[in-house]
Amino acid sequence: MSINILFIGDIIGKPGRQALSRELHRLVDRYTVDLIIANGENAAGGFGLTTDTAKELFDTGVHCLTSGNHIWDKKEQVPLVLADQRILRPANYAEGVPGAGSVVVTTPGGVKVGILNLEGRVYMKNLECPFRTADREIERLRKETPLIFVDFHAEATSEKSALGWYLDGRVSAVVGTHTHVQTADERILPQGTAYLTDAGMTGSFDSVIGIGKEEAIRKFLTQLPAKFEIPKKDIRLNGVLIGVDAQNGKALSIERITLSC
């Protein structure tokens, strides 16, 4: 028995949410998807998540939302991540930070899947070690299920690759997020862990990683603060489909997904 896990790369603003609403059900039918995970930390106006945008994504069919360095960008996100176990913040935040970094969900077919959210430290915040945090969280999750999906929200390709190798054989998949650029290095590592450096983004590609070109260029030229707009042209959905053995948690297949919406 196997299950198919669909992961959607960083959803950027309303265009990204609309793309998911239009395409998700077709993807589910086409690939017989059992579990849908999406990175939603940019879903509200390009930065953060709100109660309404989270509800919109869950109503679309998403089972769990992961996040990263923008998880606290909206003032209502602290009570939001406390109230809904389906919304994860990176597990390697300090002890006492609101919310949870991992969860076990059950697919409609009755298969338990652990989902772990981590954030990198290279060129990012000085959080606790994602490698040691992964050790602790995986040990706990494996008491319930051998199927574990990891969203590693990180900047450096080297850090993502290192975590993939470090967790090979202990989790079903390690998929990177944060750069908003889908990489072409999908593979199954020797001990059975599916790996992709970055799943990409779901939003406007007539942009600079999802935000307005003019505003982004102006900020690079002047280094002055800028209010970013979310473009509405050339909308695409990026993600990855991973087949997993439901008995031992080993990855059976991995396929990148890129759709024009």
Side-chain angles (χ1 to χ4, degrees):
M1 179 182 175
S2 65
I3 67 166
N4 290 324
I5 299 172
L6 176 64
F7 180 75
I8 306 297
D10 298 57
I11 299 166
I12 314 297
K14 187 174 181 179
R17 301 196 311 270
Q18 291 177 331
L20 194 67
S21 178
R22 287 194 297 267
E23 301 295 337
L24 186 57
H25 291 294
R26 279 184 275 190
L27 285 171
V28 169
D29 291 342
R30 178 180 177 183
Y31 293 107
T32 317
V33 174
D34 300 283
L35 181 68
I36 305 158
I37 309 166
N39 189 292
E41 70 152 15
N42 300 115
F47 301 93
L49 186 69
T50 64
T51 302
D52 288 343
T53 53
K55 182 179 185 301
E56 182 179 340
L57 294 173
F58 288 133
D59 288 346
T60 300
V62 173
H63 297 106
C64 181
L65 289 171
T66 55
S67 64
N69 57 303
H70 289 297
I71 184 59
W72 310 118
D73 282 9
K74 297 288 189 288
K75 63 181 180 180
E76 65 183 276
Q77 286 190 225
V78 172
L80 181 60
V81 298
L82 279 171
D84 198 326
Q85 294 183 339
R86 298 173 297 173
I87 300 173
L88 299 181
R89 48 85 173 162
N92 53 320
Y93 273 90
E95 185 177 351
V97 171
S102 65
V103 69
V104 175
V105 299
T106 302
T107 71
V111 178
K112 289 185 176 182
V113 180
I115 303 169
L116 173 58
N117 196 180
L118 297 166
E119 185 173 324
R121 296 191 295 182
V122 179
Y123 308 125
M124 298 185 75
K125 296 175 183 175
N126 188 25
L127 302 180
E128 294 182 2
C129 177
F131 292 76
R132 291 185 171 89
T133 301
D135 288 337
R136 182 186 69 240
E137 293 291 321
I138 290 166
E139 181 179 1
R140 183 178 60 81
L141 292 170
R142 286 186 70 88
K143 293 176 181 177
E144 294 191 58
T145 176
L147 284 74
I148 301 174
F149 179 95
V150 180
D151 174 356
F152 190 27
H153 198 80
E155 182 77 30
T157 299
S158 58
E159 191 178 19
K160 294 178 182 179
S161 178
L163 187 75
W165 285 109
Y166 185 66
L167 299 183
D168 184 23
R170 292 194 282 160
V171 300
S172 305
V174 175
V175 176
T177 55
H178 180 66
T179 70
H180 297 190
V181 178
Q182 189 181 72
T183 55
D185 59 341
E186 72 277 14
R187 53 183 165 157
I188 298 177
L189 300 176
Q191 302 303 314
T193 294
Y195 175 82
L196 178 65
T197 295
D198 204 288
M201 72 175 190
T202 297
S204 171
F205 277 65
D206 182 40
S207 68
V208 174
I209 62 170
I211 61 176
K213 303 189 296 292
E214 292 78 10
E215 298 93 332
I217 293 169
R218 189 180 307 117
K219 184 169 184 179
F220 279 115
L221 285 171
T222 66
Q223 296 300 303
L224 295 175
K227 181 180 180 181
F228 294 121
E229 300 294 330
I230 305 299
K232 300 178 181 179
K233 296 180 181 178
D234 191 11
I235 307 302
R236 305 183 202 177
L237 182 151
N238 282 175
V240 60
L241 182 77
I242 299 170
V244 180
D245 187 307
Q247 300 301 316
N248 60 26
K250 303 292 186 183
L252 301 172
S253 61
I254 179 169
E255 178 182 347
R256 281 182 295 121
I257 292 174
T258 301
L259 292 176
S260 293
C261 304

